[in-house]
Amino acid sequence: MAIGIGLVGTGTVGGGCIDIIQQHRESFKQHFGIDIELKRVCSLSVDEARARGLEGIFTKDYRDIVNDPGIDIVIELIGGTTVARNIVCEALAAGKNVVTANKALMATHGKEVMELAGTMKKELFFEASVGGGIPIIDPLKHSLIANRISTVMGIVNGTTNYMLTRMSEDGLDYDTALREAQDRGFAEANPTADVDGLDAAAKIAILASIAFNTRITIDDVYAEGIRSIAPLDLEAARDMGYCVKLLAIAHRKEDGIDVRVHPTMLPLTHPLASVNGVFNAIYVVGDSVGETMFFGEGAGAGPAASAVMGDVLECARHLQAGIAPLVGCTCTDTVPLVAMEGLHTKYYIRFAVADRAGVLAAMANVFADHEVSVHSVMQRGTKGEGGKVDLVYVTHTACEASVRAALSDIVKLENVVCAEPSLIRVEG
Amino acid sequence: MAIGIGLVGTGTVGGGCIDIIQQHRESFKQHFGIDIELKRVCSLSVDEARARGLEGIFTKDYRDIVNDPGIDIVIELIGGTTVARNIVCEALAAGKNVVTANKALMATHGKEVMELAGTMKKELFFEASVGGGIPIIDPLKHSLIANRISTVMGIVNGTTNYMLTRMSEDGLDYDTALREAQDRGFAEANPTADVDGLDAAAKIAILASIAFNTRITIDDVYAEGIRSIAPLDLEAARDMGYCVKLLAIAHRKEDGIDVRVHPTMLPLTHPLASVNGVFNAIYVVGDSVGETMFFGEGAGAGPAASAVMGDVLECARHLQAGIAPLVGCTCTDTVPLVAMEGLHTKYYIRFAVADRAGVLAAMANVFADHEVSVHSVMQRGTKGEGGKVDLVYVTHTACEASVRAALSDIVKLENVVCAEPSLIRVEG
C-alpha cells in the first residue's frame, strides 16, 4: 500500500513538491520500489489546490492532516515558529513522521521537536532547511561521520550572495544591489532576515549542531549583515587577492565552538570564493576527508522541493521496510561556545581619516597599546572631499575584544577619523 | 556487542581506516551509538600490521576473514578484478557485508556483485570507489532521488587535473608536468590508467549506472586521455574564456545515455572550471535540484578512508538495528547508449598548417562538404619554423562522425596540414 503524504503549505516549495509527486510517482515505484500518495493538502486558500486539480483532497485545517489515519508523513512548509511548531509537534504526537524545510523552527526549537520525535520513535527530516537542494545534512549525518569535523562554513543566503556579487563585479552600491535583488524576486520587500544575517544564522546553528554533536540555537550565533559593505571595500579586497562573502562560520576550537555570521574576506583561491550569484555552498573540513564542498541552488521551488521530497522518499523507504528511525538527534555532547569577544582572527579595517601629518602615528600608537599587530596599511585613492583619505589596515591575528577597544579609542582621537570605520573579518 | 570488522589490504587506504578505528571508536559509540571492532587484518606482509600493534589479528590468508564467524563486515582494499573479486564474492556468499573502494571491480563486475549481495540480502557499499572522500554515491542513492538526473559530469582523476592545472597556470609541457606529478607521488611510474582516462572511465561508469538506473560498464565508456594536450591549446582556451579539464561525462539524451571521458573545454564560469590541482568534483544536474556540485580530495589515505569508514559505520548502524539492506542495485532499466559517432557537441580543432594562400579556403570547403559549421577560426602566434602557423577552429554543434570525416579529409589535402590535428570537445 502506498505511503500516505499530507502536505501543509502550498506555496512555492509546496507547489514544487506537488509537481514532483505528480510527475515522478511511477518512476519512484519503478526505480526504488517506493510508493507515495499525496492524500491531503492544507493551505489557507483553495486556489492553488484547485489550479492543480487537488480540490478533492484540500483542507484549510491542518488538523485534518494530523488526525488522518491514512497519512504517514506530514510535510510542513508554512515556516515560522508558531503555527508550524504546533503542526510539527501535533503531527509527531499523533504518530506521524515529519519532513520540514523550516530553518527557524529547527534553529529555535530543534531540541524540543527532535526529542519529541525520539520519544515517539518517528522520523523528523529537515534537509531543505539549509542550502535549498544541496545535500548537506544527510552527508553530515551519514557519509562524513567517520570524521572529526573542525569547520563548517558556508554561503547559505543566496540574496546577499547575489547582492555582493553584483556589487563586486559591477560596482553597484548596496542600495542599488538591494533594489535589483528585490526587482528580480531574490529579496523580500522587508529584507532584514537576509541582509542582517539572521537567515544565515539559523542555518549555521543547524549545521553546527550536527557537525559538532552539540545543540546550538539561533540565539547562540553572532550575526552581522552586509548593510555597511561599500564598493570601496570590495575593490580593496580584490586588489589584495580576496573577495567578500557573507559567511556562516562554525569552527571547533580548543576552548569550544565558535559560531558566527558576518561579511568575511576570503582568498580568491578558496573553494567558496568562486560561488557567485544566488548559488549556495557549504564547505566542510574533517580530520580524514580534508576539505570538501557542497554546491548548488540555495532557494527556489525546484531545489527546495528536491530536498523535501528526498527526505519524504527516504522516510517512505524506511516505513515500507518497517524500520524505526536510524538517526535521531545527534546532540550528545555539551560543548561550550567561544564568546565573540574572545575570537582570534585577522581584520580588515577601513578608516576615512583627515589627510594630515601625525594621523598614522596616532593610530599606530592606539593599535600598539591594545596589542593589535598591523600587517599592512595602505592609502586608497586620492585625497577626497574635505581633505579626507581612506586608510586600509589589515591586522595579524588579533583578539576581537582588543580590536574593538582599539577602534573605539581611534574613533575618539581628535580630528582623525571622519566616519564610522568599516570592519571585515578575514578567513584563511 | 561490537560489529566485527575484517580488513583486507593494509596499504595507504587500509592504513587510513585503521587510524580512524583506533582514534575514533569511542567517539562513534558516544555520538552515534555505533560500536565497531577491528577483528582481523589481512595483508601480504606482516610489517604494516606489526608497526601498528596489530600482529595478533594479522593473517596472510583472506579466507581467515571470510570464514571468521565473528566478522560482520569485510573491507576489501586490495583493488583489481581478480583476487578482489574472489574476496568480495566469497565474503558475500559467506553472509558477510562488504565495503569496497574498488572502482575497477564495480565498473566491470558490478552486476555480478550487486546481484550476489541482493541474493544474500547483504550490504555492498562502494562510496570510496569514486571521488575519494567526496560523498557522491550516497547522495545519488538517497538525497537526490526525487530528481530525474540529466547530467553527471566530473573531474574524477586528481593526477591529470594536477597536470593540466600546472600546464595551464605555469606553462609546463605534458612531459614535465607528468614527471613532476610522479616526483610528488601524484602519478604512478606507469601513468596509463590516469593519463589515458581509464581510471576516470571506471568512475563515470559507476556514477552513470546509479544516476540513470541502467548498468554501464567500463567497456561502454569512450575514453581519451590527455597525452596530446599541448600548452598552446591551454593558452588558446584561456584566451577564449575556457579551461581544459579531463572530464568524465554522462548525459541523458533523448536517444539514450552518452558516456565518455576526454579532455574538454569548459567555460571559466562553469562550477567545475575552478576545481584545480589534485582536487576532484562531481557536477550533477537534476530536473528539480538544478545544478549541484560535490567537491573534495579525490585521493589519499585520509579522504578514501573517510568514505570507506562512512560506509562501514552506516553498515554497522544497519546491522545493530537488525535491518536488511535498504538500497541494493538500482539498475532497473535498460537504456541504450549513444554511440560516440552519433555525439553532437562543439569542437575545438587546432591544425598546424602551411602558411600560404588557399589553405583556409581548401579547409573551409572540406568542413562545408561534411556539414560542419565553423563558429570561428583564428591564427595563433606568428609564423613558426618552416612557414607553419597554427589555425584554431571552433565549430558550432556538429556530429562527431562528420567532424572525424572532415578531419580525415583535411589531413589528406596536399601541402596543407603539417602535423596531427589537436581536437578538444567543448561543453557548455
Side-chain angles (χ1 to χ4, degrees):
Chain A
M1 212 174 67
I3 300 296
I5 311 294
L7 171 66
V8 187
T10 56
T12 312
V13 182
C17 291
I18 295 170
D19 285 343
I20 290 176
I21 297 173
Q22 290 181 336
Q23 289 163 21
H24 291 328
R25 184 177 170 186
E26 289 309 310
S27 156
F28 299 149
K29 276 199 263 188
Q30 182 187 337
H31 296 135
F32 315 114
I34 304 171
D35 191 14
I36 55 173
E37 183 184 349
L38 185 60
K39 293 228 171 132
R40 217 172 262 265
V41 297
C42 171
S43 162
L44 291 179
S45 142
V46 73
D47 297 343
E48 172 92 7
R50 194 175 284 148
R52 292 172 180 279
L54 296 173
E55 210 178 338
I57 59 170
F58 173 81
T59 176
K60 281 192 178 180
D61 186 350
Y62 75 82
R63 289 178 197 86
D64 290 340
I65 287 182
V66 166
N67 298 320
D68 184 337
I71 287 176
D72 306 290
I73 304 172
V74 175
I75 306 176
E76 181 278 304
L77 295 176
I78 65 165
T81 56
T82 53
V83 181
R85 180 185 182 184
N86 295 340
I87 295 170
V88 169
C89 290
E90 290 175 35
L92 289 170
K96 309 298 185 200
N97 300 277
V98 172
V99 174
T100 177
N102 193 327
K103 57 188 173 279
L105 180 69
M106 295 310 298
T108 312
H109 303 294
K111 186 170 189 287
E112 176 192 1
V113 293
M114 290 304 290
E115 283 180 357
L116 180 56
T119 307
M120 297 301 301
K121 297 193 168 35
K122 296 297 160 188
E123 303 277 12
L124 173 54
F125 286 127
F126 48 99
E127 179 67 83
S129 64
V130 182
I134 306 168
I136 179 61
I137 290 173
D138 195 71
L140 285 175
K141 287 199 166 194
H142 294 272
S143 304
L144 295 174
I145 62 169
N147 289 270
R148 183 174 169 88
I149 306 286
S150 55
T151 292
V152 179
M153 186 161 89
I155 295 167
V156 290
N157 182 272
T159 307
T160 47
N161 202 47
Y162 174 83
M163 289 171 61
L164 288 172
T165 302
R166 289 287 283 142
M167 290 168 70
S168 168
E169 290 182 356
D170 307 288
L172 270 57
D173 63 18
Y174 172 85
D175 290 323
T176 312
L178 175 59
R179 213 172 315 118
E180 187 184 282
Q182 286 168 328
D183 289 347
R184 300 194 55 178
F186 300 150
E188 311 275 342
N190 175 355
T192 300
D194 292 324
V195 301
D196 290 333
L198 309 175
D199 172 81
K203 290 168 178 170
I204 196 67
I206 293 169
L207 294 179
S209 295
I210 299 167
F212 302 132
N213 302 107
T214 187
R215 175 66 57 196
I216 290 163
T217 69
I218 187 168
D219 293 335
D220 296 327
V221 184
Y222 172 85
E224 189 184 300
I226 64 163
R227 289 187 199 258
S228 65
I229 299 293
L232 194 56
D233 298 315
L234 302 176
E235 217 182 278
R238 206 169 39 242
D239 289 350
M240 297 188 291
Y242 285 78
C243 64
V244 178
K245 297 289 185 187
L246 182 67
L247 287 195
I249 301 172
H251 290 305
R252 190 201 297 269
K253 300 247 167 103
E254 264 176 44
D255 49 345
I257 306 295
D258 152 29
V259 51
R260 49 200 160 99
V261 171
H262 52 66
T264 311
M265 283 209 180
L266 210 54
L268 288 171
T269 50
H270 193 283
L272 287 170
S274 48
V275 176
N276 289 321
V278 293
F279 282 98
N280 281 16
I282 298 105
Y283 169 84
V284 180
V285 182
D287 60 349
S288 293
V289 77
E291 295 178 274
T292 58
M293 189 176 78
F294 302 79
F295 166 95
E297 298 181 29
S306 165
V308 169
M309 291 308 301
D311 280 350
V312 167
L313 291 165
E314 193 65 28
C315 185
R317 181 182 263 161
H318 291 190
L319 294 177
Q320 286 190 176
I323 64 171
L326 286 167
V327 185
C329 182
T330 51
C331 295
T332 46
D333 304 351
T334 305
V335 186
L337 290 169
V338 177
M340 198 60 192
E341 298 74 39
L343 176 70
H344 282 76
T345 190
K346 289 181 271 186
Y347 295 81
Y348 158 100
I349 311 162
R350 178 173 54 84
F351 299 92
V353 298
D355 186 22
R356 59 171 181 77
V359 160
L360 216 55
M363 293 172 78
N365 282 332
V366 179
F367 277 125
D369 287 348
H370 289 282
E371 296 188 333
V372 175
S373 169
V374 171
H375 170 261
S376 67
V377 53
M378 257 183 304
Q379 184 174 319
R380 298 280 312 176
T382 50
K383 194 186 289 203
E385 276 172 56
K388 286 180 233 167
V389 293
D390 281 296
L391 278 184
V392 169
Y393 285 80
V394 177
T395 73
H396 287 289
T397 296
C399 175
E400 174 93 9
S402 307
V403 170
R404 293 202 168 278
L407 249 70
S408 165
D409 285 357
I410 287 172
V411 168
K412 283 181 212 143
L413 291 173
E414 221 163 309
N415 296 327
V416 169
V417 176
C418 317
E420 189 65 22
S422 167
L423 177 149
I424 304 177
R425 295 170 193 86
V426 182
E427 278 283 323
Chain B
M1 211 174 68
I3 300 295
I5 311 294
L7 171 66
V8 187
T10 56
T12 311
V13 183
C17 291
I18 295 169
D19 285 343
I20 290 176
I21 297 173
Q22 291 181 335
Q23 288 163 21
H24 292 328
R25 183 176 171 188
E26 289 309 311
S27 156
F28 299 149
K29 276 199 262 189
Q30 182 187 337
H31 296 135
F32 314 114
I34 303 171
D35 190 14
I36 55 173
E37 183 184 349
L38 185 61
K39 292 227 171 134
R40 217 173 262 264
V41 297
C42 171
S43 163
L44 292 179
S45 142
V46 74
D47 297 343
E48 172 93 5
R50 194 175 283 148
R52 292 171 179 278
L54 295 174
E55 209 178 338
I57 59 169
F58 173 80
T59 176
K60 281 191 181 182
D61 186 350
Y62 75 82
R63 288 179 197 85
D64 290 340
I65 287 182
V66 167
N67 298 319
D68 184 338
I71 287 177
D72 306 289
I73 303 172
V74 174
I75 306 176
E76 182 278 303
L77 295 176
I78 67 165
T81 56
T82 53
V83 182
R85 180 184 182 184
N86 295 339
I87 295 169
V88 169
C89 290
E90 289 175 37
L92 289 169
K96 310 299 186 200
N97 300 277
V98 172
V99 174
T100 177
N102 194 327
K103 56 187 174 280
L105 179 69
M106 294 310 297
T108 311
H109 303 293
K111 185 169 189 289
E112 176 191 1
V113 293
M114 289 305 289
E115 283 181 357
L116 180 56
T119 307
M120 298 301 300
K121 295 192 170 36
K122 296 296 161 189
E123 304 278 11
L124 173 54
F125 285 127
F126 49 98
E127 179 66 83
S129 64
V130 181
I134 305 168
I136 179 61
I137 290 173
D138 196 70
L140 285 175
K141 288 199 166 194
H142 295 273
S143 305
L144 295 174
I145 62 169
N147 289 270
R148 182 172 168 89
I149 305 286
S150 55
T151 293
V152 180
M153 186 161 90
I155 295 167
V156 290
N157 181 272
T159 307
T160 47
N161 202 48
Y162 174 82
M163 290 171 61
L164 289 172
T165 302
R166 289 287 283 143
M167 290 168 71
S168 168
E169 289 183 358
D170 307 289
L172 270 57
D173 63 18
Y174 172 85
D175 291 323
T176 312
L178 175 58
R179 213 173 314 120
E180 187 184 282
Q182 286 169 327
D183 289 347
R184 299 193 56 180
F186 300 151
E188 310 276 341
N190 176 353
T192 300
D194 293 323
V195 300
D196 291 332
L198 309 175
D199 171 81
K203 290 167 177 170
I204 195 67
I206 294 170
L207 294 179
S209 296
I210 300 168
F212 302 132
N213 301 108
T214 187
R215 174 67 56 196
I216 291 164
T217 68
I218 188 168
D219 293 334
D220 296 326
V221 184
Y222 172 85
E224 190 184 300
I226 64 164
R227 288 187 199 259
S228 65
I229 299 293
L232 194 55
D233 298 315
L234 303 177
E235 218 181 277
R238 205 169 40 241
D239 289 350
M240 297 188 291
Y242 285 79
C243 64
V244 178
K245 296 291 185 186
L246 182 67
L247 286 197
I249 301 172
H251 290 306
R252 189 200 298 269
K253 300 248 168 106
E254 266 177 43
D255 48 344
I257 306 295
D258 153 29
V259 51
R260 49 201 159 98
V261 171
H262 52 67
T264 311
M265 282 209 182
L266 209 55
L268 288 171
T269 51
H270 193 283
L272 287 169
S274 48
V275 176
N276 289 319
V278 293
F279 282 98
N280 282 17
I282 298 106
Y283 169 84
V284 180
V285 182
D287 60 349
S288 293
V289 75
E291 296 178 274
T292 58
M293 189 176 78
F294 302 79
F295 166 96
E297 299 182 28
S306 166
V308 169
M309 292 308 301
D311 281 350
V312 167
L313 291 165
E314 193 65 27
C315 186
R317 180 183 264 159
H318 290 190
L319 294 176
Q320 286 189 176
I323 64 170
L326 286 167
V327 186
C329 183
T330 51
C331 295
T332 45
D333 303 351
T334 306
V335 185
L337 289 169
V338 178
M340 198 60 192
E341 298 73 39
L343 176 70
H344 283 76
T345 189
K346 288 181 271 186
Y347 295 80
Y348 158 100
I349 312 162
R350 178 173 55 84
F351 299 93
V353 298
D355 186 22
R356 59 171 181 77
V359 160
L360 216 53
M363 293 172 79
N365 283 333
V366 179
F367 276 125
D369 287 348
H370 290 283
E371 297 187 335
V372 174
S373 169
V374 171
H375 171 261
S376 67
V377 53
M378 257 182 304
Q379 185 174 320
R380 296 284 309 178
T382 51
K383 194 186 290 201
E385 276 174 56
K388 287 179 233 167
V389 291
D390 281 295
L391 279 184
V392 169
Y393 285 80
V394 178
T395 73
H396 287 289
T397 296
C399 175
E400 175 95 9
S402 309
V403 170
R404 292 201 169 280
L407 248 69
S408 165
D409 285 356
I410 287 172
V411 168
K412 283 181 212 143
L413 291 174
E414 221 163 309
N415 296 329
V416 169
V417 177
C418 317
E420 188 65 22
S422 167
L423 177 149
I424 304 177
R425 296 170 192 86
V426 182
E427 278 283 323

